[in-house]
Amino acid sequence: MRISIRAESMPASPIRKLVPYAEAAKKKGIKVYHLNIGQPDIPTPEIFFKYVKEKSESVIAYSHSAGTFELRHAFLNYYSSLGIKLDENEVIVTNGGSEAVIFAMASIADPDDEIVVIEPFYANYKGFASLLNIKLVPVRSEVTNGYRLPPKESFEEVITDKTKAILFSNPTNPTGVVLNREEINTLIQLAEEHDLFLISDEVYREFAFDGRASISLLEYYDSDRVIMTDSLSKRYSACGTRIGVLATRNKAVLDASLKFAQARLSPPTIAQLGAVGLLELGKDYTDKVKEKYQYRRDVVYEELSKIPGIVLTKPEGAFYVSVGLPVDDAESFVKWMLTDFNDLGETVMVAPLSGFYATEGSGKKEIRIAYVLEKEKLRRACELIRKGIEQYNNN
Ligand SMILES: Cc1ncc(COP(=O)(O)O)c(C=O)c1O
């Protein structure tokens, strides 16, 4: 007996694969600052727990496969506040933004079809594509150019008659780029000229800094080419609630996604109760959280700028920064920081960026930092990276 080729080719999460080394370091009594994963430290708002307590029923039943009526309406109100008018059949509540991306991909692409992604990209897109036997075709953004959207011609070089969509996150994980109007227009032009869907993953929508607005694609471009995926995980520091959403005006995609949703029965019922509360929090809440991340971004940017030889652009959104490091191999460096380095009993774990690329051998000198800790911890963690690089290069 053997397992499937699909299973064998499923990539391990680049973020989680070094975790055993962090665990070993902790067993030795070393304190590890975790900047490797996008798990915010901000407490989940109290209203989530209040709604769960007050609204739970005696049987935890399945909900409608597209999500409870109350939650879909809470999403509609939230989108309406962003200028996006949707009706209750145009949103499907999913198990996190992850399932929304899976439904979107599954609805529009057959096995061996292609979806274009801008690399580096959110690493789990690879796993989703692998599950569905879809090929991800990368177009490269460059660290030296602040990971801006590559020119239109670079997309045109890779688009074939098997290409079904362009998939991107905005604000972007892992680079912190917030796509500007011109970049969004390029994507729209490509979609129109090559008859493609645009899957716009907007889980970091509220986190755009320095007065920037991140463009929500359905608001900007009201077209049935757009499939927007979204999540409460990051916005409300509620990753474990597993509540996301797929929204589109495309009837065929909605019908298909609903069938996939019916096959997995329902999103988590208890979490949907609390999610209604989260969506009532409004802009005041998300603005405060954004300010906090912006402040942390400033701290990380200031500290990282002190590292000689670093390639760094000030991130504009989300809560990540990707940088080029003056080391021979970022993955060995990240591992070495956990196995061989400590400063006064402390070290740091970050994510090597190679796993965020589809092109073999790319991102070898880059890492991603998630600034999901308080400022003093962030300062110290950046100092550890600086000291670590010095020692690593002297070895
Ligand atoms: C760009 C992006 N999309 C989707 C997700 C999935 O999030 P969740 O499934 O928790 O909503 C993440 C999580 O890190 C992400 O960074």
Side-chain angles (χ1 to χ4, degrees):
M1 273 195 308
R2 54 168 296 188
I3 61 166
S4 65
I5 296 168
R6 180 190 306 107
E8 278 169 357
S9 61
M10 179 82 179
S13 160
I15 303 167
R16 293 177 190 260
K17 77 177 178 193
L18 296 173
V19 167
Y21 298 106
E23 281 164 357
K26 284 181 211 165
K27 271 207 186 114
K28 285 194 279 180
I30 295 172
K31 175 171 176 171
V32 180
Y33 291 93
H34 279 277
L35 304 183
N36 56 309
I37 189 159
Q39 168 62 64
D41 59 336
I42 296 170
T44 307
E46 201 43 49
I47 194 163
F48 177 87
F49 304 99
K50 181 168 177 286
Y51 272 50
V52 168
K53 265 193 214 121
E54 285 174 6
K55 296 178 191 287
S56 288
E57 294 184 3
S58 56
V59 175
I60 304 166
Y62 294 124
S63 75
H64 190 296
S65 297
T68 62
F69 179 83
E70 290 76 16
L71 182 54
R72 274 184 283 158
H73 276 264
F75 270 115
L76 298 187
N77 285 339
Y78 162 75
Y79 289 127
S80 162
S81 75
L82 304 174
I84 307 170
K85 301 272 178 264
L86 290 160
D87 81 43
E88 73 185 51
N89 301 316
E90 292 174 327
V91 293
I92 295 176
V93 178
T94 52
N95 288 278
S98 306
E99 193 181 57
V101 178
I102 294 171
F103 285 176
M105 288 172 138
S107 297
I108 59 162
D110 284 312
D112 297 327
D113 278 344
E114 298 173 359
I115 293 181
V116 172
V117 282
I118 301 142
E119 68 179 359
F121 54 86
Y122 174 50
N124 279 334
Y125 292 162
K126 275 194 212 171
F128 306 157
S130 191
L131 194 64
L132 297 166
N133 287 30
I134 293 168
K135 192 171 166 213
L136 288 188
V137 178
V139 175
R140 174 80 64 97
S141 68
E142 300 289 345
V143 58
T144 45
N145 186 33
Y147 300 105
R148 297 309 321 176
L149 192 81
K152 188 162 175 253
E153 304 75 60
S154 307
F155 287 87
E156 280 166 339
E157 275 165 23
V158 301
I159 290 173
T160 69
D161 53 6
K162 284 182 176 286
T163 311
K164 299 293 173 204
I166 304 173
L167 162 65
F168 56 95
S169 64
N170 180 38
T172 307
N173 176 6
T175 61
V177 164
V178 178
L179 295 173
N180 59 33
R181 228 161 249 274
E182 202 185 315
E183 290 168 315
I184 294 278
N185 288 342
T186 300
L187 291 170
I188 292 173
Q189 267 176 25
L190 283 161
E192 289 182 350
E193 287 169 19
H194 299 275
D195 196 18
L196 305 175
F197 286 97
L198 292 172
I199 307 175
S200 180
D201 178 344
E202 301 181 11
V203 310
Y204 300 98
R205 180 182 300 111
E206 269 76 7
F207 307 148
F209 308 140
D210 309 318
R212 257 179 209 92
S214 80
I215 297 173
S216 183
L217 199 58
L218 266 182
E219 203 260 307
Y220 186 71
Y221 177 54
D222 187 0
S223 159
D224 67 356
R225 293 187 187 284
V226 177
I227 308 174
M228 178 178 76
T229 62
D230 203 354
S231 169
L232 303 190
S233 290
K234 316 289 170 169
R235 193 167 304 141
Y236 301 105
S237 191
C239 297
T241 59
R242 310 309 306 134
I243 297 292
V245 79
L246 176 149
T248 177
R249 302 206 190 282
N250 189 301
K251 179 91 178 56
V253 171
L254 284 165
D255 289 348
S257 295
L258 184 59
K259 284 192 268 174
F260 294 126
Q262 285 164 346
R264 62 78 165 114
L265 301 171
S266 106
T269 305
I270 302 243
Q272 289 187 74
L273 299 173
V276 172
L278 294 178
L279 285 163
E280 283 172 9
L281 287 171
K283 197 167 173 308
D284 284 354
Y285 171 81
T286 50
D287 277 352
K288 279 202 195 96
V289 179
K290 174 178 71 179
E291 273 162 32
K292 192 163 197 147
Y293 285 128
Q294 181 173 318
Y295 186 66
R296 291 174 177 188
R297 185 276 315 258
D298 291 342
V299 169
V300 168
Y301 181 71
E302 184 191 322
E303 291 299 321
L304 291 177
S305 301
K306 295 177 186 164
I307 299 177
I310 196 165
V311 186
L312 164 72
T313 306
K314 197 175 208 177
E316 301 168 333
F319 43 62
Y320 304 103
V321 56
S322 287
V323 297
L325 289 186
V327 295
D328 58 350
D329 183 275
E331 185 161 331
S332 336
F333 168 69
V334 173
K335 193 171 146 213
W336 177 88
M337 287 290 282
L338 298 168
T339 52
D340 289 70
F341 172 84
N342 78 79
D343 179 58
L344 304 174
E346 297 184 335
T347 191
V348 63
M349 181 173 186
V350 296
L353 210 64
S354 49
F356 294 70
Y357 284 82
T359 310
E360 210 45 52
S362 302
K364 280 219 170 301
K365 293 180 183 224
E366 292 157 60
I367 57 162
R368 184 194 74 173
I369 290 170
Y371 38 96
V372 288
L373 300 178
E374 287 297 348
K375 63 174 176 154
E376 287 317 321
K377 292 183 184 163
L378 285 174
R379 257 190 223 289
R380 172 69 177 142
C382 292
E383 182 191 32
L384 289 166
I385 295 172
R386 182 166 53 78
K387 289 188 168 178
I389 290 173
E390 255 169 54
Q391 268 193 39
Y392 178 81
N393 284 337
N394 284 336
N395 277 344

